[in-house]
């Protein structure tokens, strides 16, 4: 079956304007343009649009979606299984948050006593799930299953005070990186403080510390664009500065 841009917009809920933009960036081209200059979409384009919407629901950028769908090795069945796994995890995250909301409501009504740990457990579980989704495979390959699981358990058992201290440590780390970038010098006190603060931050989630593992993590910060983006989003060059300090002092 074929559809005009108006019909496929009605079918999918995607505006005609967005479909035209997808055409412009080569994300979703019509199968043909008829004699009246109307874009015409066939079954292949309908299926591709469904995949685009699945990936959009997972908050992927359009250029990333295009790269995936244009890959000669792209497999629809594998993609659908991946969508299912990620959406089920998202549903689990929502269920955990809903449970926390319901328990908190009962707490304020005096129907149950909610510990401080319970108040933050769902948020920490969500953070662990996000990290697993983004970095789980790479971290497990580098540090092993037992180490990663032990790290997750330690994070989930952090007290409210420890969580606050961990966040404050990271904030101090970024402040020192900002200062270092203005006058880079690995032998300076600021560079050493960057290393010490990052080591302290790791102590909240790592079961044990080792200089070798710390150096390996630093290399991941500059070798994996996802890690680099996390630090460079704050200050350009932050990931490299952090890695330099780790390699020098660890």
């Amino acid at each position: 079956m074929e559809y005009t841009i108006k019909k496929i917009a009605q079918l999918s809920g995607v505006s005609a304007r967005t479909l035209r933009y997808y055409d412009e960036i080569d994300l979703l081209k019509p199968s043909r343009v008829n004699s009246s200059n109307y874009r015409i979409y066939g079954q292949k384009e309908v299926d591709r649009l469904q995949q685009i919407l699945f990936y959009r629901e997972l908050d992927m950028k359009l250029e990333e979606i295009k790269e995936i769908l244009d890959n000669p090795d792209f497999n629809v069945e594998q993609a659908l299984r991946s969508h299912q796994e990620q959406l089920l995890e998202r549903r689990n995250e929502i269920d955990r948050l809903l449970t926390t909301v319901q328990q908190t409501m009962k707490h304020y009504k005096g129907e149950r006593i909610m510990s401080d740990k319970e108040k933050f457990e769902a948020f920490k579980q969500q953070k662990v799930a996000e990290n697993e989704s983004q970095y789980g495979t790479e971290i497990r390959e580098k540090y092993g299953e037992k180490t990663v699981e032990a790290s997750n358990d330690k994070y989930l058992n952090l007290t409210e005070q420890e969580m606050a201290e961990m966040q404050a440590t990271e904030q101090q780390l970024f402040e020192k990186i900002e200062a270092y970038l203005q006058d880079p010098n690995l032998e300076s006190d600021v560079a050493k403080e960057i290393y010490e603060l990052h080591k302290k931050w790791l102590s909240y989630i790592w079961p044990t510390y080792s200089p070798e593992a710390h150096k390996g993590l630093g290399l991941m910060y500059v070798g994996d664009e996802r890690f680099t983006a996390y630090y460079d989003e704050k200050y350009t060059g932050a990931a490299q500065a952090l890695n330099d300090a780790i390699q020098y002092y660890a």
Side-chain angles (χ1 to χ4, degrees):
M1 189 170 182
E2 291 188 326
Y3 301 89
T4 62
I5 193 169
K6 181 179 179 180
K7 289 288 182 63
I8 198 172
Q10 293 172 342
L11 177 70
S12 65
V14 178
S15 71
R17 180 180 180 182
T18 297
L19 290 170
R20 285 192 288 271
Y21 177 66
Y22 286 175
D23 183 5
E24 290 173 12
I25 64 173
D26 294 331
L27 177 60
L28 181 68
K29 306 289 291 184
S31 61
R32 61 188 178 87
V33 177
N34 67 13
S35 57
S36 300
N37 207 32
Y38 288 159
R39 292 174 173 85
I40 303 297
Y41 297 84
Q43 192 60 56
K44 181 180 177 182
E45 289 71 42
V46 169
D47 292 342
R48 185 177 172 99
L49 179 57
Q50 185 194 39
Q51 290 299 322
I52 292 169
L53 295 183
F54 275 136
Y55 283 118
R56 288 294 288 156
E57 283 297 317
L58 298 171
D59 298 322
M60 291 189 68
K61 295 179 180 178
L62 294 179
E63 55 266 32
E64 293 174 330
I65 298 173
K66 183 178 183 302
E67 185 177 344
I68 291 171
L69 296 181
D70 288 347
N71 190 319
D73 296 326
F74 176 75
N75 183 286
V76 174
E77 290 185 12
Q78 291 178 358
L80 289 171
R81 281 194 292 270
S82 177
H83 296 328
Q84 183 183 42
E85 290 172 2
Q86 293 182 67
L87 290 170
L88 284 171
E89 181 54 43
R90 180 179 291 182
R91 185 172 72 180
N92 290 337
E93 291 172 9
I94 292 173
D95 287 343
R96 287 193 291 266
L97 291 173
L98 280 172
T99 298
T100 300
V101 169
Q102 292 163 354
Q103 291 175 343
T104 305
M105 289 172 66
K106 290 180 180 179
H107 171 75
Y108 281 103
K109 289 179 180 179
E111 297 175 3
R112 75 184 299 275
I113 296 175
M114 189 178 195
S115 69
D116 288 340
K117 181 181 177 182
E118 287 179 299
K119 293 176 184 177
F120 298 96
E121 190 169 359
F123 299 105
K124 290 193 287 187
Q125 288 175 338
Q126 184 174 356
K127 184 65 176 178
V128 167
E130 289 174 358
N131 288 338
E132 284 287 350
S133 175
Q134 293 182 28
Y135 315 116
T137 301
E138 293 83 355
I139 292 295
R140 277 174 164 73
E141 288 177 354
K142 193 168 188 65
Y143 297 107
E145 187 78 25
K146 289 184 178 179
T147 300
V148 174
E149 289 301 325
S151 177
N152 287 343
D153 288 342
K154 187 171 184 179
Y155 176 76
L156 289 171
N157 285 294
L158 290 177
T159 65
E160 182 180 357
Q161 180 179 343
E162 288 170 334
M163 280 292 296
E165 290 172 354
M166 181 181 178
Q167 291 167 355
T169 299
E170 186 175 43
Q171 179 60 37
Q172 292 171 17
L173 172 65
F174 276 114
E175 290 171 358
K176 293 299 180 181
I177 290 175
E178 181 186 20
Y180 175 85
L181 288 171
Q182 294 174 12
D183 184 21
N185 180 0
L186 280 174
E187 296 184 354
S188 67
D189 291 340
V190 175
K192 189 172 184 179
E193 285 178 296
I194 288 172
Y195 159 73
E196 294 291 353
L197 283 167
H198 193 259
K199 180 181 177 181
K200 179 182 177 181
W201 180 78
L202 287 174
S203 71
Y204 290 101
I205 51 176
W206 275 13
T208 57
Y209 175 82
S210 95
E212 293 76 15
H214 198 175
K215 288 183 177 181
L217 186 62
L219 292 174
M220 287 186 73
Y221 288 164
V222 293
D224 189 311
E225 62 183 11
R226 294 168 301 172
F227 288 96
T228 304
Y230 177 78
Y231 287 98
D232 283 14
E233 184 179 12
K234 298 278 187 179
Y235 308 106
T236 302
Q240 186 63 58
L242 176 56
N243 177 58
D244 289 346
I246 292 170
Q247 301 304 323
Y248 191 82
Y249 287 101

